[in-house]
Amino acid sequence: VAGPEIGKPVRPFRHALARVREAGLKLEVHAGEWDGPESVIEALDAVKPDRIGQGVRAFEDLELLARLRDQRIHIEMCATSNVCTRAVDRLEHHPIKKARGLGLSLSINTDEPGTFTCSMASEYGLLKDVFGYTAEDIERVKRDSLEARFRRELRVQIPGTLGTPPG
């Protein structure tokens, strides 16, 4: 579920999304980019998603962050996109810096690479160069990303990664 959050709560779709979950599919809700932490709380309460897309405003609420961590709700973060859309005022203020030490499951994404002129390589570069992530921190982000994927098989098999068939 994605789109502008302000004035467009996810709660009215909870029954339809419950059927999606009953069918064995996983759910992601775009929340906490334009609207405050309450949009993330509503998504968690109404839909129980496996992932939150964007989620930058969740970092305004310490109890919410603890809930995301404890429930292992994955957060997809898009630093360049969040600055370009003004969800975050400056790159240096992006909450991905805070996320590092909180034990959250998170991934790094490009959102719309053509629109925001970024790549996965540039987003990972920001982790190291701007946010102080170590090689070990980056490996944890990569592991979290693989563990949170909805489709267990990878399109390209990478030896030594989750989802790689033995042999």
Side-chain angles (χ1 to χ4, degrees):
V1 179
E5 305 147 36
I6 297 173
K8 297 187 178 168
V10 72
R11 186 170 301 282
F13 302 100
R14 70 184 179 281
H15 298 296
L17 294 170
R19 293 188 66 199
V20 169
R21 182 165 300 288
E22 288 166 13
L25 299 173
K26 301 208 180 224
L27 297 171
E28 176 178 339
V29 175
H30 183 277
E33 181 179 27
W34 297 106
D35 212 352
E38 62 277 359
S39 69
V40 178
I41 293 167
E42 182 205 14
L44 295 177
D45 292 344
V47 181
K48 299 179 182 22
D50 301 281
R51 297 190 312 219
I52 294 291
Q54 307 294 349
V56 294
R57 302 284 304 276
F59 289 80
E60 298 171 9
D61 184 326
L62 294 177
E63 287 181 30
L64 174 56
L65 290 176
R67 183 176 175 190
L68 290 166
R69 182 196 63 230
D70 295 346
Q71 293 179 9
R72 287 299 284 169
I73 306 297
H74 185 81
I75 305 171
E76 295 180 346
M77 306 207 82
C78 309
T80 299
S81 163
N82 294 148
V83 173
C84 289
T85 63
R86 301 201 194 307
V88 175
D89 64 345
R90 295 181 51 178
L91 188 59
E92 297 79 17
H93 297 157
H94 197 284
I96 201 162
K97 186 172 188 171
K98 270 175 123 172
R100 182 172 153 216
L102 295 176
L104 298 167
S105 173
L106 65 102
S107 59
I108 306 307
N109 301 277
T110 58
D111 204 0
E112 295 287 337
T115 302
F116 302 120
T117 61
C118 61
S119 67
M120 288 304 295
S122 68
E123 295 300 294
Y124 274 104
L126 293 175
L127 288 182
K128 179 179 167 278
D129 299 337
V130 175
F131 303 116
Y133 277 52
T134 65
E136 183 178 294
D137 295 328
I138 291 171
E139 284 305 311
R140 191 188 84 236
V141 169
K142 290 177 181 179
R143 277 194 311 274
D144 286 349
S145 301
L146 285 170
E147 289 173 11
R149 71 190 187 273
F150 289 169
R151 184 176 174 155
R152 300 317 300 166
E153 307 81 29
L154 297 174
R155 282 185 243 153
V156 175
Q157 297 301 317
I158 304 167
T161 62
L162 301 172
T164 303

